[in-house]
Amino acid sequence: MEIVKEILRLFDTRTDFFVELVIQHIVLSGISIAIITVIGIALGVLISESKGLAAIVLALTNFFYTIPSIALFGFLVAISGIGAKSAIIALVIYGLLPIIRNTYVGLVEIDPQIIDAAIGMGSTRAQLLQKIRFPLALPVIFAGFRTMVVMTISLAGIASFIGAGGLGVAIWRGITTNYPAMTIAGSLLVALLAIVTDLILGFIEKRIGGIYHEK
């Protein structure tokens, strides 16, 4: 119970410190998520037109996904230096797989009869994507987006190890000073941020699924 009391005392006496770290964490994660979403959906749409290209892109993103996060962070520091830049690059690399894969799967698994009917009615490729394929694939795409967001928020906790800020600062400070309460406090806030975000996205995902089934 002593550790619980110490954690609560930390939250009470160091509120400003933790609020600042939470804001840094949200900004770092938010920038990464925005970049991942744009690149991931664009690549997912692109590879849905070519099975050969899809195999290459998915294999490459799978390969990056197998690299230990600490190793990738260390590698990027040697190239792009210490700070948020390297952290964002690493987070983007890790976050691409679920959004690319789900976008691709969502688009290629649409009933071919629906596509043929739309083409028969004179739909162009752009209209087909915008009005038929993408809306039908949206529930699957959003599921990948949800996974990516939670993963990015969690992984951003390591970003402080290369000077990028965020809640990892509290975790790292607790480790280096042998202060378990600080480490646990930082870890709890990362977990809480990820859980709350996941619950919000889960609610939105159900709404999207409900709209999809109504149609």
Side-chain angles (χ1 to χ4, degrees):
M1 290 299 295
E2 286 300 321
I3 190 70
V4 175
K5 292 180 181 179
E6 182 63 20
I7 292 169
L8 293 175
R9 188 190 68 80
L10 267 177
F11 286 144
D12 182 48
T13 59
R14 304 291 301 276
T15 302
D16 292 343
F17 170 71
F18 285 112
V19 168
E20 182 181 355
L21 294 186
V22 168
I23 293 172
Q24 290 177 2
H25 203 96
I26 291 173
V27 170
L28 181 65
S29 301
I31 293 172
S32 303
I33 289 166
I35 296 172
I36 293 166
T37 302
V38 173
I39 296 176
I41 291 179
L43 281 175
V45 171
L46 179 65
I47 65 176
S48 70
E49 303 291 339
S50 170
K51 289 186 178 180
L53 183 60
I56 295 171
V57 172
L58 291 174
L60 187 61
T61 51
N62 269 307
F63 167 74
F64 282 123
Y65 201 66
T66 62
I67 301 174
S69 54
I70 291 295
L72 183 58
F73 276 117
F75 174 75
L76 288 172
V77 164
I79 298 175
S80 49
I82 293 174
K85 183 179 178 181
S86 293
I88 289 172
I89 293 172
L91 292 174
V92 168
I93 289 173
Y94 274 111
L96 282 174
L97 178 60
I99 194 74
I100 290 176
R101 182 175 56 199
N102 278 48
T103 302
Y104 170 74
V105 170
L107 290 172
V108 300
E109 289 192 351
I110 296 172
D111 189 341
Q113 292 183 351
I114 297 175
I115 304 298
D116 292 340
I119 293 173
M121 294 175 67
S123 297
T124 64
R125 178 174 292 186
Q127 290 173 332
L128 194 63
L129 176 63
Q130 182 182 356
K131 297 182 178 181
I132 306 294
R133 297 177 66 210
F134 197 84
L136 289 175
L138 187 57
V140 179
I141 295 172
F142 195 86
F145 174 78
R146 179 183 175 185
T147 300
M148 176 272 291
V149 169
V150 174
M151 184 180 68
T152 301
I153 291 172
S154 301
L155 191 59
I158 308 176
S160 66
F161 294 2
I162 57 172
L167 287 166
V169 170
I171 298 171
W172 181 243
R173 186 171 298 181
I175 293 172
T176 55
T177 59
N178 194 26
Y179 191 8
M182 179 66 79
T183 301
I184 296 171
S187 301
L188 285 174
L189 287 174
V190 173
L192 181 62
L193 189 59
I195 290 170
V196 170
T197 303
D198 185 55
L199 289 174
I200 294 171
L201 293 177
F203 173 77
I204 296 172
E205 186 177 356
K206 287 181 181 178
R207 295 287 294 177
I208 291 174
I211 294 170
Y212 172 76
H213 287 303
E214 284 175 6
K215 291 182 178 180

